[in-house]
């Protein structure tokens, strides 16, 4: 941390967390907090909580949490310094120029060095392409009907057959092995030495939104495996946070984005004048990709391959896009497989017509679902209608749901009254909860650790809300009872704040630089009780938590005294344990 605590607090206080997060996430006030769908994992119902009073956020689904700085760093994938600058600019606060710490400078320099090496590698691949050595690659690009200016625009290249040509080139430029290792462009082997990861492949440099070369993709020439190979993730490359072609597409003046499957689809579309095309990088389209696109557009058209794999990929992508608030359509490319093939055969104008007539996402979903049933069989037809009724649970807005029922009934020749009756039954069964939201897997937690954290959370969160509760609990519990080093540090900071009159979880987070630690602090202060919890139930929970935490602290102290054979201390602790049952805190 190289900004003073006072300056960090000034910037945080000038940027209300509800206002900032509300620019990215649709929030609804519930009690004293605001709730919305978590932007860090897709979910069926809102579990992402934002507290104006605590100036912190916490997701009860995936465990992400922190203050306004943490949110911006995680959502925008930026550094602490960049988040501070962004929030300071919003508030009109001038930040002093500060020197980086040794660790920060080292990390900053490493990222820049990786990008520098990647840029040099891209130049090398391009040089090899335009040389006589690259004739085989030139023939490939020519067979795909790529124009010379397209090759230049995307910085395409060629990795020669010799397995260490890039390595020897970069070594001749003065780069050292401890730098080259971090790029993951090479395989280091004690027996076989160093070899290029990419060889005998046409190369596709992958750029971030700022046009920096962060990774590579390569397609093999010939029958080698794998057909496509991407760089592994590095300090500068996270495939779930980048989209191929977004560096160009983000400046497009179109009101929508075209999402396709691969490099060549993006390149072909751009060459045809569709500069708003992007693709995921060797991974399925996910919620983070959707959040990235949300910064640049509100409408997307899926132009995935027309085969079954492409249709399934579209079906998987739709819930992520819908959860992020996009208007979604699906483009039909039959009888051709992909955009590249379609444009070469039917031309640009016909592709524009297909865009204009792109199918509504829900109609596409219904069509794909209907194919699973034999519509000539009465039972199969009934099963389809029942599944269809469930699918309408994806619409939380009643008017939107009714409009879609109208459209589906008309298009699929289904009696309106019958389908409406089925939908109403589903609404009662699901209690209004969305049916078709994708939920990403959440890491499983250790049950014992969960219980320990819950005890501390009950105490810290309620004491934050009630100064009188803090005064009574602090007569029994002290920061020393929080035996874990991390929780002890949090408790010490909280005790100090409360003794001075007011707790501030967002400020406590400033003592930790790691995002995971911010989430742990947020977890500790996340409200443990629903707003309508009776006072006597809260009082019982507080007392149970005090006893459990104190008993655990005493048990650990007793064990420590036993190991050192301190009989006097052991007897003292045993006597104190007998008095635990007499403790009762009245709120």
């Amino acid at each position: 941390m190289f900004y003073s605590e006072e300056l960090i607090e000034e910037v945080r206080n000038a940027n209300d967390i509800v206002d900032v997060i509300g620019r990215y996430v649709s929030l609804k006030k519930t009690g004293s907090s605001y709730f919305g769908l978590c932007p860090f994992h897709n979910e069926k119902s809102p579990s992402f909580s934002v507290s104006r009073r605590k100036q912190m956020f916490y997701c009860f689904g995936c465990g992400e949490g922190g203050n306004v700085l943490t949110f911006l760093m995680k959502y925008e994938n930026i550094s602490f310094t960049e988040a501070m600058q962004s929030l300071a600019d919003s508030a009109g606060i001038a930040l002093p120029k500060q020197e980086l710490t040794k660790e920060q400078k080292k990390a900053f320099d490493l990222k820049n060095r990786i990008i520098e090496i990647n840029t040099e590698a891209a130049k090398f691949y391009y040089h090899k392409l335009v040389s006589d050595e690259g004739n085989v690659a030139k023939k490939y690009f020519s067979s795909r009907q790529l124009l010379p200016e397209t090759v230049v625009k995307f910085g395409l290249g060629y990795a020669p057959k010799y397995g260490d040509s890039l390595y020897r080139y970069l070594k001749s430029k003065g780069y050292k092995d401890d730098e080259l290792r971090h790029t993951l462009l090479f395989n280091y082997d004690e027996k076989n030495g160093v070899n290029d990861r990419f060889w005998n492949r046409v190369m596709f440099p992958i750029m971030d939104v700022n046009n920096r070369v962060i990774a590579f993709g390569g397609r093999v020439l010939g029958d080698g495996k794998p057909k496509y190979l991407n760089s592994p993730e590095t300090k500068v490359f996270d495939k779930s946070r980048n989209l191929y072609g977004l560096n160009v597409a983000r400046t497009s003046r179109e009101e929508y984005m075209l999402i396709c499957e691969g490099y060549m689809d993006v390149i072909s579309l751009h060459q045809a004048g569709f500069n708003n095309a992007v693709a995921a990088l060797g991974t399925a389209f996910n919620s983070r990709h959707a959040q990235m696109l949300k910064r640049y557009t509100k409408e997307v058209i899926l132009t995935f391959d027309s085969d079954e794999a492409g249709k399934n990929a579209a079906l998987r992508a739709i819930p992520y896009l819908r959860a992020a608030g996009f208007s979604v359509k699906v483009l039909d490319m039959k009888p051709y497989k992909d955009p590249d093939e379609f444009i070469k055969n039917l031309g640009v104008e016909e592709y524009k017509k297909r865009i204009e007539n792109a199918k509504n996402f829900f109609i596409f979903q219904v069509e794909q679902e209907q194919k699973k049933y034999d519509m000539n069989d009465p039972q199969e037809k009934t099963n389809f209608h029942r599944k269809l009724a469930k699918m309408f649970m994806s619409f939380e807005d009643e008017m939107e749901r009714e409009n879609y029922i109208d459209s589906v009934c008309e298009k699929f020749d289904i009696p309106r009254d019958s389908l409406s009756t089925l939908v109403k039954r589903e609404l009662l069964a699901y209690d209004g909860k969305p049916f078709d939201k994708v939920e990403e897997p959440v890491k499983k937690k250790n049950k014992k650790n969960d219980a320990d954290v819950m005890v501390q959370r009950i105490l810290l969160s309620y004491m934050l809300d009630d100064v009188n509760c803090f005064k009574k609990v602090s007569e029994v519990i002290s920061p020393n009872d929080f035996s874990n080093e991390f929780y002890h540090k949090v408790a010490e900071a909280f005790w100090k704040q409360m003794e001075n009159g007011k707790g501030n979880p967002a400020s406590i987070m400033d003592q930790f630089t790691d995002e995971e630690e911010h989430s742990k602090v947020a977890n500790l202060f996340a409200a443990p009780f629903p707003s309508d919890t009776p006072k006597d139930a809260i009082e019982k929970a507080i007392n149970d938590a005090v006893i459990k935490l104190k008993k655990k602290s005493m048990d650990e102290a007793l064990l420590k005294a036993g190991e050192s054979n301190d009989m006097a201390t052991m007897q003292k602790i045993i006597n104190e344990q007998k008095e635990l049952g007499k403790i009762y805190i009245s709120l």
Side-chain angles (χ1 to χ4, degrees), residues 274-303:
F274 301 98
N275 290 323
N276 53 339
V278 298
L281 292 155
T283 185
F285 191 91
N286 59 41
S287 60
R288 287 188 172 178
H289 293 136
Q291 294 298 338
M292 279 189 72
L293 280 180
K294 196 175 177 181
R295 303 173 208 173
Y296 307 109
T297 186
K298 294 181 180 178
E299 182 180 352
V300 297
I301 298 176
L302 298 177
T303 177

Side-chain angles (χ1 to χ4, degrees), residues 304-305 307-317 364 368 372:
F304 290 168
D305 291 0
D307 58 13
E308 284 305 307
K311 289 173 184 175
N312 289 333
L315 289 171
R316 287 192 298 270
F364 172 77
Q368 300 310 306
K372 301 175 184 177

Side-chain angles (χ1 to χ4, degrees), residues 87-230:
L87 293 175
D89 290 343
S90 296
I93 298 173
L95 295 180
K97 291 185 177 180
Q98 299 279 345
E99 290 295 324
L100 297 174
T101 64
K102 186 177 179 181
E103 291 75 19
Q104 289 166 336
K105 188 175 186 308
K106 184 178 179 181
F108 181 78
D109 288 345
L110 176 58
K111 287 183 178 181
N112 282 341
R113 197 65 164 167
I114 292 172
I115 289 170
E116 180 186 316
I117 293 170
N118 284 342
T119 302
E120 198 64 51
K123 292 177 182 176
F124 170 82
Y125 292 138
Y126 177 76
H127 174 74
K128 289 297 180 183
L129 173 67
V130 298
S131 71
D132 291 341
E133 198 174 352
N135 286 338
V136 63
K138 285 197 283 284
K139 285 180 182 177
Y140 172 78
F141 287 134
S142 178
S143 72
R144 301 301 297 262
Q145 298 179 26
L146 294 190
L147 301 173
E149 52 265 37
T150 302
V151 171
V152 173
K153 177 181 177 180
F154 285 91
L156 306 183
Y158 169 61
K161 290 183 179 180
Y162 302 105
D164 63 348
S165 55
L166 176 64
Y167 176 72
R168 286 186 285 106
Y169 170 78
L170 291 174
K171 289 289 284 186
S172 73
K173 288 287 185 179
Y175 294 106
K176 298 176 181 177
D177 281 310
D178 59 350
E179 298 172 325
L180 297 177
R181 283 178 188 273
H182 288 287
T183 67
L184 300 187
L185 288 173
F186 310 99
N187 297 313
Y188 284 81
D189 186 279
E190 289 185 10
K191 183 178 179 181
N192 299 315
V194 184
N195 293 291
D196 298 347
R197 179 177 295 276
F198 299 99
W199 55 277
N200 196 32
R201 291 177 181 270
V202 287
M203 299 299 294
F204 303 85
I206 297 168
M207 300 181 189
D208 64 12
V209 293
N210 297 311
N211 294 302
R212 301 178 302 178
V213 183
I214 55 173
F216 293 91
R219 186 203 186 279
V220 72
L221 293 170
D223 299 323
K225 300 289 182 180
K227 184 177 179 181
Y228 283 98
L229 180 67
N230 284 335

